[in-house]
Amino acid sequence: MADSAVRQTAALTGTRERSSARTYQVRTYGCQMNVHDSERLAGLLEAAGYRKAADGSDADIVVFNTCAVRENADNKLYGNLSHLAPRKNADPDMQIAVGGCLAQKDRDAVLKRAPWVDVVFGTHNIGSLPALLDRARHNRVAQVEIVEALEEFPSALPAVRESAYAAWVSVSVGCNNTCTFCIVPALRGKEVDRRPGDVLAEVTSLVDQGVLEITLLGQNVNAYGVSFADPDQPRDRGAFAKLLRACGRIDGLERVRFTSPHPAEFTDDVIEAMAETPNVCPTLHMPLQSGSDRILKAMRRSYRAERYLGIIDRVRAAIPHAAITTDLIVGFPGETEEDFQATLDVVERARFASAFTFQYSKRPGTPAAELDEQVPKHVVAERYQRLIDLQERISLEENTALIGSTVELLVATGEGRKDAATARMSGRARDGRLVHFHPDGLPIRPGDVVTTTITGAAPHHLIADSAIAAHRRTRAGDAHAAGVGPRTGVGLGMPGIGAPTEPQMSTGCSR
């Protein structure tokens, strides 16, 4: 058939011409875990023959990797699904898939509210996505597959990394805690840890491809070692400190970060490893949630304010210039003005570099959702603003104190909204602070490393308009300029869990 005839037929049937490779787009909501899972979804689709859709173009397949933590997660998802409904009606071969935590929680409800969705999959079986898409396309009926337990570590799956210079590496999946505000354990399952050798093999593979910085990921990352998937691997409460030190022995790995540790699991051997391992960055993100012991107890957070502050004191004694950040929840059920004042007091004492602050969000399925004394929204909003004002003052004071200091920056991309207007570029200092700097006419690329001096400060960033003292071109910068990202997940010797599944286009499943 002539090309014009093909185009005419496509117009009459409401479908589009398709290239030999179907295109995909992954839309991600939520935490770093979801961002990393989306890299695996991209890797799975590319391994199955799909290619990433160009920015601004319509994809043949749109995958939503969802979050269920915030109250507006449902509205955001179904609003975006509604926007795609006309496209789906016009082009029945276009496919929509919904995965992640909200899919795990809502299951069949997704199809009831958005019957034009083709595939629904959960947190434990992202590896099934290509096969489910094929099955839905062949059978012309939606496919829903939600499994209840992890069958294989998600790190065994192929991953297309978004960054050429920085990468996530999961050390564990799941969570053993029972925080009353959190639905994650019900959706991600019990904690299971990877073998140290598998973690280090993945890190080494990334570094061999030019990556300079890795972030070790876990729901409670410093609890690593409590439950290895390998039954021959004994429980080891010191495993996380050992892992940090082992990362310090990997040639070419310049920066190591980790998130998020739990205060109840924080031990001095981790502080010692942080201080004594040169490539472990002087930064710590440790969720506080509330400064009130009464509210911490109601949240089932197994520490109290003084223990939390004691950890900070010991970290700063060992690493004086450590930048410490946190998570805070305002308006937990039963929170009084006295409780909230206790949070303000701890924030004042802790001197956080920055804080992720949240208004309490009632989530069905969590114990906190059933508690009495839900705090009125206007009260929550007023307290939230007071907390924001306090933390912004502290952040500005801490950042202002850095004016005149010399910083080493790993040049980043997409981190500064004002870059085009000011001709500045952006990078992250070793302590994690965002710095907007002037390139001084040098051919600097994301992934390169520069040294400069801080000249200005704001609550959420620093300014460096001084001359560049040093610029080091890196393999990561070469890869970024060439548009090449590292790939991992195949051949790293990850263990399977449970009985083998039926062979599919791609193997494995996730959290």
Side-chain angles (χ1 to χ4, degrees):
M1 184 181 294
D3 287 346
S4 59
V6 172
R7 286 191 290 271
Q8 184 178 19
T9 301
L12 291 172
T13 59
T15 61
R16 296 184 290 117
E17 282 186 81
R18 302 194 185 277
S19 61
S20 57
R22 288 169 62 82
T23 60
Y24 74 89
Q25 178 190 72
V26 181
R27 302 185 187 181
T28 309
Y29 308 105
C31 65
Q32 297 97 329
M33 305 283 186
N34 273 20
V35 173
H36 191 20
D37 279 350
S38 289
E39 292 180 328
R40 296 183 181 114
L41 290 169
L44 284 161
L45 291 170
E46 294 199 4
Y50 300 92
R51 62 178 175 83
K52 186 176 181 179
D55 292 342
S57 66
D58 289 338
D60 297 315
I61 296 162
V62 178
V63 182
F64 291 89
N65 189 11
T66 64
C67 172
V69 172
R70 308 303 300 158
E71 187 173 19
N72 67 353
D74 305 55
N75 294 335
K76 182 179 290 187
L77 170 66
Y78 293 113
N80 285 322
L81 289 175
S82 294
H83 291 155
L84 287 179
R87 270 196 61 207
K88 178 70 175 177
N89 287 335
D91 182 2
D93 287 336
M94 179 258 184
Q95 291 186 289
I96 303 169
V98 178
C101 289
L102 194 63
Q104 186 81 20
K105 179 175 76 74
D106 286 355
R107 302 171 186 255
D108 294 336
V110 174
L111 290 182
K112 290 178 182 177
R113 294 186 60 176
W116 54 93
V117 168
D118 298 275
V119 171
V120 181
F121 62 102
T123 58
H124 297 306
N125 64 315
I126 65 175
S128 302
L129 178 60
L132 293 171
L133 288 167
D134 269 3
R135 199 181 306 158
R137 189 162 53 246
H138 180 270
N139 297 340
R140 293 291 177 179
V141 65
Q143 302 294 308
V144 178
E145 183 174 294
I146 308 287
V147 299
E148 298 297 335
L150 188 70
E151 294 173 351
E152 186 177 11
F153 268 108
S155 299
L157 303 174
V160 174
R161 306 291 183 140
E162 287 295 317
S163 170
Y165 49 85
W168 312 103
V169 175
S170 290
V171 305
S172 64
V173 292
C175 179
N176 291 340
N177 291 322
T178 57
C179 300
T180 54
F181 58 82
C182 185
I183 198 170
V184 169
L187 304 178
R188 295 281 186 176
K190 291 291 186 181
E191 180 178 335
V192 181
D193 301 324
R194 295 173 66 191
R195 294 178 303 208
D198 291 334
V199 175
L200 295 171
E202 183 174 354
V203 173
T204 301
S205 173
L206 289 163
V207 173
D208 287 346
Q209 296 175 75
V211 168
L212 301 177
E213 175 182 300
I214 61 101
T215 301
L216 303 175
L217 280 181
Q219 208 68 49
N220 295 299
V221 68
N222 57 325
Y224 177 74
V226 302
S227 177
F228 288 111
D230 184 349
D232 295 326
Q233 188 84 25
R235 177 187 176 101
D236 182 0
R237 298 291 292 189
F240 188 65
K242 294 174 185 175
L243 187 64
L244 289 178
R245 292 183 186 275
C247 286
R249 295 190 289 270
I250 297 176
D251 289 339
L253 179 57
E254 299 189 14
R255 297 185 177 192
V256 178
R257 306 185 189 278
F258 58 89
T259 194
S260 291
H262 194 290
E265 302 283 352
F266 217 99
T267 51
D268 287 346
D269 63 337
V270 171
I271 298 174
E272 292 166 4
M274 292 172 64
E276 296 170 4
T277 308
N279 64 358
V280 173
C281 293
T283 181
L284 173 66
H285 180 79
M286 185 168 64
L288 169 63
Q289 307 302 6
S290 174
S292 163
D293 287 351
R294 192 180 72 85
I295 295 299
L296 287 171
K297 182 178 180 181
M299 289 178 168
R300 293 185 195 155
R301 300 287 288 180
S302 50
Y303 56 88
R304 298 298 176 257
E306 286 303 320
R307 171 173 169 75
Y308 184 97
L309 289 166
I311 294 169
I312 288 180
D313 288 343
R314 295 197 298 279
V315 169
R316 286 187 171 139
I319 314 168
H321 300 296
I324 298 175
T325 60
T326 196
D327 295 338
L328 295 162
I329 297 174
V330 178
F332 186 81
E335 181 188 75
T336 64
E337 179 61 27
E338 182 181 7
D339 293 320
F340 178 66
Q341 185 59 51
T343 295
L344 296 180
D345 291 344
V346 172
V347 169
E348 189 75 70
R349 290 174 61 187
R351 304 290 297 179
F352 296 117
S354 64
F356 295 95
T357 53
F358 305 93
Q359 298 184 43
Y360 169 73
S361 180
K362 187 175 181 180
R363 301 307 292 140
T366 62
E370 306 303 321
L371 293 177
D372 295 331
E373 299 182 272
Q374 299 285 328
V375 182
K377 288 189 175 182
H378 73 277
V379 175
V380 176
E382 187 272 337
R383 290 176 182 169
Y384 177 77
Q385 190 57 53
R386 285 158 59 195
L387 177 59
I388 291 289
D389 292 343
L390 171 61
Q391 182 55 55
E392 292 216 339
R393 172 179 65 78
I394 293 170
S395 295
L396 180 58
E397 291 170 355
E398 294 295 309
N399 284 351
T400 299
L402 296 172
I403 293 176
S405 64
T406 299
V407 291
E408 178 195 84
L409 306 179
L410 176 56
V411 182
T413 183
E415 299 241 40
R417 288 181 298 176
K418 298 181 180 180
D419 290 358
T422 62
R424 294 187 182 116
M425 298 180 73
S426 302
R428 291 281 174 181
R430 291 188 62 82
D431 66 5
R433 284 182 167 92
L434 178 64
V435 181
H436 301 311
F437 69 96
H438 200 284
D440 205 24
L442 296 172
I444 297 170
R445 305 139 334 151
D448 285 352
V449 176
V450 300
T451 303
T452 187
T453 301
I454 301 301
T455 59
H460 303 294
H461 65 266
L462 295 164
I463 297 294
D465 281 341
S466 56
I468 299 294
H471 168 217
R472 174 160 53 90
R473 295 173 69 89
T474 67
R475 287 197 300 139
D478 295 340
H480 179 88
V484 177
R487 294 173 181 255
T488 56
V490 179
L492 294 180
M494 305 301 167
I497 302 175
T501 56
E502 179 181 346
Q504 299 172 341
M505 292 181 65
S506 304
T507 59
C509 67
S510 180
R511 299 189 185 118

